Amino acid sequence: MRAILAFAAVVAVVPLLVSSNVALNFLVFTMIIALAAQGWNLLGGYGGQYSFGHAAFFGTGAYLTAILQVRFGLNSYPAFAAGIALAALVGLAIGSLAFRSGLKGSYFALVTLAFAEVFRVLANAAQVTGGAAGILIRLQQDPANFQFAERGTFLWVAGTMVTLALMATLALERSRLGAQLVAVRENEAAAQALGVDVLAVKLRTITLSAAMTGAAGGLYAQYFLYLDANIAYGTWISVEALLAPIVGGAGTVFGPVLGAVLLHAIAEATRMIAGRIPGIDLVAFGIVLILVVRFPPRDIPGLLRRWRR
Amino acid sequence: MGLPPEIILEAVLNGLLTGAVYGLVALGLTLVYGVLHIINFAHGALLTAAMYAAYLAWAALGIDPYVAALPLAVLFFGIGYLVQRLVIGPASQGKDENILLVTLGLSIIIENLMLAVFHSDTRSIDVPYAMDVIEAGPALLSWPRVVGFGATMVVAAALYVLMHFSATGKAIRAVAKERTGAALVGIDVAHIYAVTFGIGTACLAIAAALLLPSFYVSPRVGNAFVLVAFTIVVLGGMGSVVGALVGGLVIGVVESLSGLFLGESLGQIGIFLIFILVLLVRPTGLFGARA
């Protein structure tokens, strides 16, 4: 808890000290990724169910936030809340289908990937999403519209959301559900034998997970004010949401934040060294991922612990 | 829909032809799964790499993709062998999720290297026979697809012979059935794994050469094919070679028909829905044994 408060304090102070738009952009984007990744972490890190399709939740949160404002004239805040709710529902629906069929491991990864792709193709063809041209939220910089003239203000908002997600994760970790979830991850059969309702535990978790990643999508929509199918439902966000916790420490409270910051620092550094070659930062991501898996302990906290000894 | 029957027949036949090459892509995937018991998420990216290799052979050296197919197969066998031996094998440490992540990492690296080198523009080659057609009764069949179909059948037959009559093939089947037992009788399991992965990648190289005359290449082209290949493999049963070929034909027809009735952009949906449905209802596929 102290670490979370320290994190909140840092986020609160940074916008006062940093005025460079490039730096603030970097931080806001990293916070959005950290939030999406925290969602993945609940299901993948604590629950051991590796999703390759968290874009399905990110995109749903993002699109509904945008569509309700642009097409139905709703205020941004209820639109954002509705986006989170729908993402949670999508999570529950996909979870019901996948977990009821007993899909695990690679099969679960595959089916989530397929769902995200279905959403991408649909969003690319549908009218309400603006199709391939995408959807643009009108620029009205007013806190009443969840738009802010200062990037620093948005960093406060995103940082607050991440802080809340950290607290929620800590609460989950200490809750009965969290304990059951870890039991399911470690040995599903044993957990079941001890009376854990495995299906219910997984469904609750995927719903929470989807809501969190959906919130990240909604934030993305409010910050960038533009979406298309390849942004909202693209593989990139599924990969980012998975990569950050894996690198930073899956199944730990701070893993996703740590991983997101580190990965994007690496991405920036790569771009600085190699120049703006398209895709070069992602090449670096891939290399980091393989190295992290190749040399256990697989995550940064584990490496630090080993180094201290 | 008031479509005349010969258009539907043509769509079915062309779907079968394309489906055969899909089957070849799936063959590599299913072979690796059947022996190594891993799902290779880098399969699509390796296909992209092979398509660029075939593209380069044509664009830089003027070699026809059909001529390049065999040398490319040898080259990609080597690449696949080394990737399994040096990257996937050591990183897996016997854990499923590690393989999932390592092959995902590989696919990210390959795909984005292609993006960095070739940028995101789509490329295609301009071979004189690209638009040639063959008349089969009332239907017109595209020549490159007919070649693709024939070549796939030849490769499948060659694989069958290799797997059943060569010492290596027997070793591969032994490892697939019983890894520990195979190791006990002196089979080098790590080597056989790498050989299998190499064969899977070589299938991709041939498929790439067969696809190139009628498909565009872009850094993300493999994604489209790999989801199709996953669907085929899941439909046909993980690890089943016959299943991969039959599944390929089925999916080719489904794609062709849903493209005809739903239009290009929604056509892919049919495949994904089958994929999800099969995963949910019968994850062992039509030809797979119960896990």
Side-chain angles (χ1 to χ4, degrees):
Chain A
M1 194 65 207
R2 239 183 287 159
I4 297 179
L5 291 178
F7 169 82
V10 171
V11 170
V13 174
V14 165
L16 303 175
L17 304 176
V18 180
S19 58
S20 142
N21 270 345
V22 177
L24 287 173
N25 248 341
F26 169 82
L27 289 171
V28 170
F29 186 64
T30 308
M31 285 302 111
I32 292 174
I33 297 297
L35 189 60
Q38 191 64 276
W40 188 94
N41 188 35
L42 298 183
L43 184 67
Y46 288 97
Q49 314 296 318
Y50 281 33
S51 152
F52 277 18
H54 257 52
F57 315 134
F58 183 89
T60 302
Y63 264 124
L64 196 67
T65 303
I67 287 170
L68 287 179
Q69 292 175 65
V70 175
R71 306 260 187 268
F72 300 93
L74 203 68
N75 177 268
S76 315
Y77 291 98
F80 179 55
I84 296 175
L86 187 65
L89 265 181
V90 168
L92 181 63
I94 293 180
S96 301
L97 288 171
F99 292 137
R100 262 180 225 286
S101 312
L103 294 184
K104 283 180 218 162
S106 315
Y107 286 100
F108 180 69
L110 275 176
V111 86
T112 49
L113 178 73
F115 271 113
E117 279 297 293
V118 167
F119 284 139
R120 190 181 61 78
V121 175
L122 284 177
N124 206 33
Q127 291 268 312
V128 70
T129 56
I135 191 166
L136 203 67
I137 300 176
R138 199 145 62 94
L139 184 71
Q140 290 169 301
Q141 287 179 332
D142 184 345
N145 293 324
F146 206 165
Q147 292 182 27
F148 308 97
E150 299 290 323
R151 283 165 212 265
T153 320
F154 206 95
L155 181 57
W156 270 326
V157 174
T160 308
M161 299 282 297
V162 173
T163 308
L164 290 176
L166 288 170
M167 288 177 171
T169 309
L170 187 68
L172 176 81
E173 197 180 273
R174 292 177 177 171
S175 72
R176 196 175 175 78
L177 176 64
Q180 291 176 330
L181 189 59
V182 172
V184 169
R185 177 187 71 196
E186 293 303 323
N187 190 336
E188 191 171 321
Q192 192 152 29
L194 287 172
V196 174
D197 185 346
V198 172
L199 182 64
V201 167
K202 285 182 181 172
L203 285 183
R204 265 182 232 162
T205 311
I206 196 173
T207 310
L208 274 176
S209 166
M212 225 177 247
T213 303
L219 271 186
Y220 184 100
Q222 284 308 117
Y223 186 65
F224 291 98
L225 302 175
Y226 172 78
L227 296 174
D228 67 23
N230 287 325
I231 295 173
Y233 287 124
T235 351
W236 73 276
I237 184 66
S238 296
V239 169
E240 292 250 13
L242 162 154
L243 211 54
I246 296 286
V247 172
T252 65
V253 173
F254 270 98
V257 176
L258 216 60
V261 172
L262 191 84
L263 281 171
H264 283 273
I266 292 174
E268 284 299 318
T270 321
R271 260 176 261 156
M272 249 182 257
I273 296 165
R276 293 217 162 252
I277 304 168
I280 201 75
D281 45 341
L282 286 168
V283 174
F285 281 10
I287 294 173
V288 170
L289 176 59
I290 290 179
L291 288 179
V292 159
V293 176
R294 171 72 180 82
F295 299 104
R298 316 193 301 195
D299 45 31
I300 311 297
L303 287 179
L304 286 180
R305 250 175 278 133
R306 176 192 268 184
W307 180 65
R308 239 182 255 154
R309 250 181 249 142
Chain B
M1 290 270 182
L3 285 176
E6 53 273 25
I7 293 203
I8 295 179
L9 175 74
E10 196 171 279
V12 169
L13 288 178
N14 272 314
L16 281 175
L17 297 179
T18 314
V21 183
Y22 288 168
L24 187 56
V25 176
L27 203 61
L29 198 62
T30 207
L31 192 67
V32 169
Y33 183 86
V35 179
L36 283 75
H37 304 288
I38 66 174
I39 290 189
N40 176 18
F41 274 96
H43 204 65
L46 284 166
L47 176 68
T48 311
M51 284 178 82
Y52 271 113
Y55 170 80
L56 278 184
W58 189 85
L61 307 171
I63 302 172
D64 189 282
Y66 293 152
V67 179
L70 273 184
L72 280 179
V74 174
L75 174 69
F76 273 79
F77 174 84
I79 292 176
Y81 186 94
L82 291 177
V83 162
Q84 164 63 28
R85 196 88 206 225
L86 302 179
V87 182
I88 301 177
S92 75
Q93 287 136 14
K95 283 192 201 140
D96 257 9
E97 72 256 29
N98 281 7
I99 296 171
L100 216 65
L101 295 173
V102 169
T103 53
L104 179 71
L106 275 174
S107 83
I108 297 171
I109 294 174
I110 297 170
E111 191 180 300
N112 288 289
L113 273 181
M114 297 297 141
L115 182 67
V117 175
F118 296 99
H119 301 287
S120 55
D121 11 328
T122 52
R123 289 152 200 265
S124 60
I125 65 169
D126 188 19
V127 285
Y129 49 80
M131 291 295 157
D132 286 2
V133 288
I134 295 170
E135 276 183 58
L140 294 176
L141 304 178
S142 132
W143 168 244
R145 289 176 196 214
V146 173
V147 173
F149 184 88
T152 299
M153 294 307 144
V154 171
V155 172
L159 258 186
Y160 182 86
V161 171
L162 176 81
M163 294 295 270
H164 287 84
F165 300 106
S166 75
T168 308
K170 284 176 186 164
I172 290 175
R173 287 190 298 138
V175 170
K177 276 228 171 73
E178 178 53 60
R179 178 173 40 178
T180 323
L184 280 176
V185 297
I187 294 173
D188 181 352
V189 173
H191 170 73
I192 288 298
Y193 273 7
V195 167
T196 310
F197 203 93
I199 294 174
T201 320
C203 285
L204 278 183
I206 296 175
L210 296 173
L211 287 171
L212 199 60
S214 41
F215 285 88
Y216 291 106
V217 196
S218 76
R220 310 210 187 281
V221 69
N223 284 340
F225 287 107
V226 83
L227 270 171
V228 172
F230 276 132
T231 312
I232 292 166
V233 168
V234 166
L235 186 69
M238 288 276 183
S240 161
V241 170
V242 178
L245 288 176
V246 177
L249 298 179
V250 172
I251 292 299
V253 173
V254 168
E255 184 196 52
S256 172
L257 286 180
S258 57
L260 188 63
F261 288 107
L262 300 173
E264 275 298 315
S265 61
L266 277 178
Q268 292 171 301
I269 289 279
I271 296 176
F272 295 137
L273 290 183
I274 289 190
F275 180 50
I276 292 171
L277 219 73
V278 175
L279 269 179
L280 295 179
V281 177
R282 192 175 157 76
T284 52
L286 302 177
F287 296 85
R290 262 227 115 39

